[in-house]
Amino acid sequence: MSPKAAEPEALRTQILQCKAADILFEQPQDLGREELCVIDPASETYEALERASSSLKKDRRPVVIPTETVYGLAAAATDSTAVEKIFTTKGRPADNPLIVHVSSRSMLSSLLPPSYTIPPSYERLMKAFWPGPLTLLFPADPSKIPPIVTAGQKTVAIRMPSHPVARALISFSQTPLAAPSANSSGRPSPTKAEHVWDDLGKTGKVPLILDGGPCDVGVESTVVDGISAEDGSIRVLRPGGVTVEEMKTLLSEGLAPGESPVKVLVHKRDYQDADMEQHPTTPGMKYLHYTPSVPVVLLNLKNAQHPPAEEFESLSEVMDDLLAKHQPRSEKPKRRKVGFLVTSDFPVKSGTHASDPEVITFDLGPRNEPSVAAQRLFDGLLTLEKKGVDFILVEAIDEENEGLAVMNRVRKAAGDVRMVDVA
């Protein structure tokens, strides 16, 4: 049956609290063995993980889990029937592959072809960034991971999450989990349990939401392909929580005299691959993503990246034009509402009120701290949407460090781009 063939039946969604403090990963005395996951058996967290494990294995239903990146909609990755319910719950296209989450190196090995040897570049990346927001492409073994997970591709995307609840559930259930973001396909990714409730919980599309608090990273994992390029380069298919700068620094350390560092190339910035965009090996490459129900407009500010030779509008001109173009969300509103998703350095009140709309601002943090902007981006889009704004103006930030991941998401969410002089 096609993943889009059936609508999921309505459920009564429950939110269960999970505390990281109830979970401990212990290093065994035998250093050759892997960490042990210890969960306080008297805690609510243990009970929640038991319930979630039962839903995953016995009922074969997806559950919502917190990760360090965004909340995920998780199902047993080795069970095609269970994975199919991810697609129907989200309304996700069948050719959009999923990321598999593991809790240990032994679980990773159990999913790979027996003859496969992990390359040195991957070993270094995993040692530095696992567990964490880094996804790696490996050769797929269809006898272990069903084709519905990989969209029939020859590779499978795998990562080890660092959020204690996600990793504990995988370890507790002894089941690798396929888990895209826990939202209706195309919408902004949820970074809080309340975001999931508003989208999938109110309508009973999922049985359980494990509430592990706000996500620390706030954007999805970095996805890397280090096995396809003939020159052995690392290709960043989707920027995310591990930055390009961090990987370049790591891979340039400890080189022998005369040895060249492994290249780290970013898709669309450093190289093109039109065939992969049509037949993606990882999520986030082909379809509309990260879009709330209201228009999003990207504001490129007049600065060193956008010199005065380009034509700029004043902020008031942009506001007047957008207010004329976009209809209010409610009939005969007392006052129009406009959302600003901007850094704390942005002069919001500069010429914004030719028709005096209500300006609602969500702070992305200081402009020179892109990790804060990444953590707040999706929360900002969803919060402003919920407050009833007619459209959202998002300030562009520099595409360095986490800023690369932020702008990757904003460009996909935005239906319009304006060049603005706010001086």
Side-chain angles (χ1 to χ4, degrees):
M1 183 168 67
S2 165
K4 296 187 72 178
E7 289 295 322
E9 60 184 282
L11 305 165
R12 181 175 176 269
T13 302
Q14 289 186 293
I15 300 178
L16 303 180
Q17 299 295 319
C18 292
K19 297 178 181 178
D22 295 330
I23 301 166
L24 178 66
F25 287 90
E26 289 185 343
Q27 182 67 50
Q29 291 183 345
D30 180 357
L31 296 180
R33 296 179 60 195
E34 295 180 326
E35 289 181 315
L36 301 174
C37 178
V38 181
I39 308 164
D40 180 0
S43 67
E44 291 182 353
T45 301
Y46 189 93
E47 182 181 349
L49 292 174
E50 268 194 323
R51 293 271 304 278
S53 180
S54 177
S55 181
L56 290 168
K57 299 176 74 173
K58 182 180 177 181
D59 302 334
R60 304 169 85 182
R61 292 187 183 279
V63 299
V64 175
I65 63 171
T67 78
E68 72 279 16
T69 57
V70 300
Y71 273 74
L73 181 63
T78 55
D79 184 340
S80 58
T81 299
V83 171
E84 185 177 289
K85 294 172 184 175
I86 291 177
F87 287 88
T88 55
T89 299
K90 284 176 61 74
R92 184 182 180 92
D95 63 347
N96 197 4
L98 304 174
I99 293 173
V100 176
H101 298 66
V102 299
S103 60
S104 65
R105 280 292 298 265
S106 60
M107 186 177 287
L108 167 68
S109 298
S110 73
L111 301 177
L112 301 179
S115 60
Y116 178 69
T117 300
I118 295 174
S121 60
Y122 272 15
E123 291 286 1
R124 297 188 68 185
L125 289 170
M126 288 189 291
K127 184 177 180 180
F129 302 119
W130 275 23
L134 178 67
T135 295
L136 303 173
L137 255 60
F138 293 94
D141 185 339
S143 69
K144 299 177 178 182
I145 296 293
I148 189 173
V149 173
T150 63
Q153 298 293 325
K154 295 181 179 179
T155 56
V156 58
I158 303 177
R159 83 178 187 97
M160 186 188 297
S162 63
H163 195 292
V165 175
R167 194 174 170 205
L169 177 60
I170 300 167
S171 178
F172 188 93
S173 62
Q174 282 298 293
T175 305
L177 299 179
S181 55
N183 55 279
S184 298
S185 189
R187 284 188 51 76
S189 300
T191 57
K192 297 179 178 178
E194 66 186 75
H195 297 158
V196 184
W197 172 260
D198 289 340
D199 186 2
L200 303 178
K202 285 180 180 179
T203 51
K205 290 185 177 181
V206 292
L208 291 177
I209 299 173
L210 300 186
D211 185 353
C215 300
D216 291 335
V217 176
V219 293
E220 296 85 353
S221 62
T222 302
V223 180
V224 159
D225 179 357
I227 60 175
S228 298
E230 293 182 359
D231 63 356
S233 61
I234 294 292
R235 298 198 167 192
V236 179
L237 307 184
R238 182 182 72 185
V242 173
T243 70
V244 172
E245 290 84 352
E246 288 173 323
M247 289 188 287
K248 283 184 174 180
T249 298
L250 174 74
L251 295 172
S252 64
E253 293 173 347
L255 299 176
E259 183 182 4
S260 298
V262 175
K263 294 179 182 178
V264 180
L265 306 175
V266 179
H267 178 242
K268 286 194 173 180
R269 188 189 75 178
D270 303 322
Y271 75 98
Q272 304 295 322
D273 192 332
D275 182 64
M276 182 181 61
E277 291 168 27
Q278 290 304 310
H279 305 91
T281 54
T282 186
M285 301 195 70
K286 181 177 180 180
Y287 291 97
L288 184 69
H289 280 77
Y290 319 122
T291 307
S293 61
V294 297
V296 175
V297 180
L298 173 61
L299 298 181
N300 281 327
L301 306 189
K302 186 177 180 180
N303 54 30
Q305 280 73 38
H306 303 286
E310 299 187 53
E311 198 165 318
F312 290 84
E313 305 170 89
S314 69
L315 190 53
S316 61
E317 289 173 329
V318 172
M319 292 280 288
D320 288 344
D321 183 51
L322 294 174
L323 286 165
K325 280 184 178 178
H326 299 294
Q327 296 296 316
R329 293 179 67 190
S330 59
E331 291 186 16
K332 298 180 180 180
K334 293 181 179 179
R335 195 177 177 196
R336 301 292 297 275
K337 293 182 180 181
V338 177
F340 276 80
L341 188 53
V342 293
T343 66
S344 50
D345 311 300
F346 187 91
V348 172
K349 296 185 182 299
S350 174
T352 61
H353 45 72
S355 52
D356 194 31
E358 179 184 354
V359 173
I360 303 175
T361 303
F362 193 99
D363 186 7
L364 286 175
R367 190 175 176 85
N368 62 352
E369 295 185 25
S371 63
V372 178
Q375 186 183 44
R376 297 180 181 179
L377 175 65
F378 291 137
D379 188 22
L381 289 172
L382 292 166
T383 298
L384 291 171
E385 175 191 47
K386 197 171 182 178
K387 286 181 178 293
V389 300
D390 296 330
F391 52 86
I392 300 172
L393 301 173
V394 185
E395 177 188 359
I397 65 173
D398 296 335
E399 296 187 44
E400 299 174 351
N401 297 300
E402 293 87 354
L404 182 65
V406 170
M407 291 306 298
N408 170 271
R409 275 61 171 183
V410 172
R411 285 202 172 90
K412 291 181 178 180
D416 191 9
V417 181
R418 307 298 281 264
M419 311 296 286
V420 180
D421 185 356
V422 296

